[in-house]
């Protein structure tokens, strides 16, 4: 719902005008939102519009669209109909006023941070953010004159203390990669708002099916759509959703910075999104079963999964993830990396790759994947033991995944030659 008369780019779709209680449920929105044409020739599926520019015979109409007074598209770096449908679907799933899409998740993250933070500004975050985000915090933002405070992820009071020193942005991720640490998003957002900070949450791991940070007080939610939203590991993309005025500022940065989502990728992501609820419900259920099974396995030292009662963040996760605990887990093998090297190559139903959130199960030991550039000591300091395996649960039959894990782990029954 527009709250002001300022011209806004047509990429930002107004929230549906019907009241909340009349809204369809998430699985229905995943299928139908953003799909309303009319599209050429009565097409029922959103077309991939590859035209770079959109022509106007009526110059007054052209000007009105260019100024955002009328719906329409001008140039593909700014907006595009296929991309707009993707934005509308994610916006509706997260329950936001506006959305804008990017070529990758990292483009969404860096454009958001560089929009909100100018030299002299201060951002508070945690040490366990996604690897690329961590580089933005440790290299790019300090070089741009931004004061970056990175806290121990599980030290809630230390994060509150940093926020109390003053913050322009609070940037959070929950659950985290790869040890699924859980942050209390509502409590931290409330503290940040007392300082006038903008609260940004990377919701890639949870997806809007499981967790909707805007309802917990976040101002902006962003995603690597490359992961669960697309779900098929065949398209890169990113998206930011939130209040219209904030998203308009980030959109402005993106249209000039140029990290536009390709319409072909937007189509792949849109198609993937239609099954988001189905996939995530299966992945939630399978991950909980697999985590429970792994926890009882003699070769497994520890399992990290927010759905387990043994997880330190379980109570908070149960409160802030009403849909489920997600499809990401990790487990630590007795025997360290030597054990990982024996077990992981034996898995039949898992890609060994630097990806997650796909229909196929994907495994990645942090030592060769997400945290490959760190030393063993640095990984240890982050609470990442050498025996850790990140396991992104796919949509396969969970009995096959458990059989597969059982067979692969059985190699550890015999001593290494
Ligand atoms: C993969 C990922 C990103 C980065 O997304 P890209 O699409 O690869 O740029 C950001 N945050 C999280 C949590 C991720 O898993």
């Amino acid at each position: 719902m527009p709250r002001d008369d300022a011209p806004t780019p047509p990429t930002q779709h107004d929230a549906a005008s019907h009241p909340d209680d009349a809204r369809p449920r998430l699985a229905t929105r995943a299928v139908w939102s953003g799909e309303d044409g009319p599209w050429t020739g009565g097409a029922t599926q959103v077309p991939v519009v590859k035209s770079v520019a959109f022509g106007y015979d009526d110059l007054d109409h052209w000007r009105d669209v260019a100024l955002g007074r009328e719906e329409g598209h001008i140039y593909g770096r700014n907006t595009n109909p296929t991309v707009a449908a993707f934005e509308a679907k994610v916006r509706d799933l997260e329950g936001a006023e506006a959305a804008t899409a990017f070529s990758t998740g990292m483009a969404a993250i860096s454009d958001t941070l560089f929009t909100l933070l100018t030299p002299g500004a201060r951002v508070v975050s945690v040490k366990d953010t996604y690897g690329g985000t961590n580089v933005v915090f440790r290299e790019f933002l300090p070089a741009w004159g931004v004061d970056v405070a990175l806290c121990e992820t599980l030290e809630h009071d230390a994060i509150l203390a940093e926020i109390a020193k003053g913050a322009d942005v609070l940037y959070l991720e929950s659950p985290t990669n790869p040890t699924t640490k859980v942050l209390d998003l509502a409590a931290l957002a409330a503290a940040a708002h007392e300082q006038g900070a903008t609260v940004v949450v990377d919701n890639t791991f949870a997806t809007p099916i499981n967790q909707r940070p805007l309802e917990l007080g976040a101002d902006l939610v962003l995603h690597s759509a490359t992961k669960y939203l697309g779900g098929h590991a065949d398209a890169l993309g990113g998206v930011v959703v939130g209040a219209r005025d904030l998203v308009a500022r980030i959109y402005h940065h993106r249209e000039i910075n140029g990290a536009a989502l390709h319409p072909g990728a937007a189509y792949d992501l849109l198609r993937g999104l239609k099954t988001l609820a189905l996939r995530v419900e299966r992945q939630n259920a399978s991950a909980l079963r697999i985590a429970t099974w792994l926890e009882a396995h003699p070769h497994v030292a520890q399992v990290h999964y927010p759905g387990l009662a043994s997880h330190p963040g379980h109570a908070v996760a149960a409160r802030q993830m009403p849909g489920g605990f997600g499809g990401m887990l990790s487990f630590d093998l007795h025997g360290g990396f030597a054990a990982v090297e024996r077990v992981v190559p034996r898995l039949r139903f898992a890609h060994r790759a630097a990806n997650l959130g796909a229909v196929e199960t994907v495994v990645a030991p942090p030592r060769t994947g997400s945290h490959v550039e760190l030393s063993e000591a640095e990984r240890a300091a982050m609470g990442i033991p050498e025996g850790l395996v990140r396991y992104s649960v796919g949509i396969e039959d969970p009995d096959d995944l458990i059989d597969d894990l059982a067979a692969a782990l059985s190699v550890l029954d015999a001593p290494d030659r």
Side-chain angles (χ1 to χ4, degrees):
M1 277 143 280
R3 292 187 309 191
D4 56 47
D5 301 314
T8 48
T11 187
Q12 297 165 52
H13 297 269
D14 294 337
S17 55
H18 46 82
D20 254 15
D21 53 11
R23 287 186 104 192
R25 292 154 184 85
L26 283 170
T28 308
R29 283 192 252 162
V31 174
W32 286 99
S33 292
E35 303 271 327
D36 36 345
W39 311 114
T40 317
T44 62
Q45 301 306 305
V46 177
V48 182
V49 179
K50 295 181 78 175
S51 183
V52 160
F54 300 85
Y56 294 87
D57 291 333
D58 180 334
L59 298 187
D60 288 339
H61 185 200
W62 184 358
R63 183 204 56 218
D64 286 346
V65 173
L67 291 174
R69 291 178 191 153
E70 274 188 60
E71 287 269 319
H73 303 281
I74 300 286
Y75 185 64
R77 175 156 46 73
N78 303 351
T79 71
N80 165 284
T82 316
V83 173
F86 165 73
E87 291 168 335
K89 203 186 275 293
V90 180
R91 176 191 64 62
D92 202 32
L93 285 169
E94 288 285 7
E97 271 180 4
T100 193
F102 298 80
S103 53
T104 65
M106 278 315 304
I109 291 165
S110 51
D111 273 25
T112 298
L113 289 170
F114 280 94
T115 299
L116 299 177
L117 295 162
T118 46
R122 184 160 196 272
V123 55
V124 175
S125 188
V126 295
K127 289 187 177 168
D128 285 55
T129 51
Y130 175 76
T133 310
N134 211 36
V135 173
V136 174
F137 283 140
R138 289 179 191 274
E139 284 180 33
F140 297 1
L141 287 170
W144 165 242
V146 170
D147 178 15
V148 180
L150 299 183
C151 307
E152 291 300 333
T153 307
L154 288 181
E155 290 180 13
H156 183 79
D157 291 342
I159 305 172
L160 289 177
E162 283 300 334
I163 293 169
K165 290 182 197 165
D168 298 290
V169 171
L170 173 68
Y171 184 97
L172 302 173
E173 214 176 293
S174 182
T176 63
N177 178 33
T179 49
T180 71
K181 291 173 186 163
V182 170
L183 289 164
D184 187 334
L185 299 177
L188 294 171
H193 284 154
E194 277 176 30
Q195 301 297 324
T198 303
V199 178
V200 184
V201 175
D202 180 337
N203 204 29
T204 301
F205 269 36
T207 83
I209 303 302
N210 289 335
Q211 172 172 279
R212 282 170 306 284
L214 296 176
E215 295 170 8
L216 300 167
D219 300 298
L220 291 165
V221 172
L222 49 82
H223 283 272
S224 168
T226 315
K227 315 292 172 47
Y228 285 100
L229 299 190
H232 293 70
D234 56 3
L236 291 160
V239 61
V240 176
V241 306
R244 161 176 285 269
D245 52 344
L246 271 176
V247 172
R249 286 172 56 202
I250 298 164
Y251 163 83
H252 178 60
H253 198 278
R254 192 266 286 158
E255 76 172 317
I256 301 305
N257 208 28
L261 178 62
H262 188 277
Y267 180 83
D268 294 336
L269 298 171
L270 262 178
R271 182 159 71 174
L273 272 167
K274 291 187 193 184
T275 56
L276 181 70
L278 271 181
R279 288 185 281 112
V280 170
E281 282 160 21
R282 164 66 78 104
Q283 286 162 320
N284 286 340
S286 295
L288 184 56
R289 267 195 62 194
I290 292 167
T292 306
W293 181 85
L294 282 168
E295 203 172 34
H297 198 284
H299 294 305
V300 175
Q302 199 182 357
V303 181
H304 303 278
Y305 185 65
L308 294 175
S310 61
H311 188 285
H314 178 66
V316 173
R319 197 167 67 229
Q320 75 186 11
M321 302 178 79
F325 299 101
M328 293 301 300
L329 60 91
S330 60
F331 54 94
D332 181 25
L333 294 176
H334 289 301
F337 194 66
V340 172
E341 281 183 305
R342 295 177 73 200
V343 170
V344 166
R346 284 187 160 75
L347 290 167
R348 272 178 78 196
F349 301 122
H351 286 305
R352 284 151 282 270
N355 186 38
L356 61 95
V359 290
E360 300 96 354
T361 293
V362 186
V363 290
R367 171 159 160 165
T368 53
S370 56
H371 295 70
V372 66
E373 278 151 21
L374 304 184
S375 69
E376 183 168 340
E378 285 169 324
R379 280 189 293 271
M382 294 185 75
I384 298 172
E386 298 302 285
L388 198 72
V389 177
R390 186 180 77 187
Y391 194 86
S392 168
V393 180
I395 63 166
E396 301 92 339
D397 190 307
D399 287 329
D400 285 323
L401 297 180
I402 288 175
D403 288 350
D404 193 27
L405 283 162
L409 285 166
S410 71
V411 70
L412 299 176
D413 295 345
D416 201 2
R417 292 181 292 110

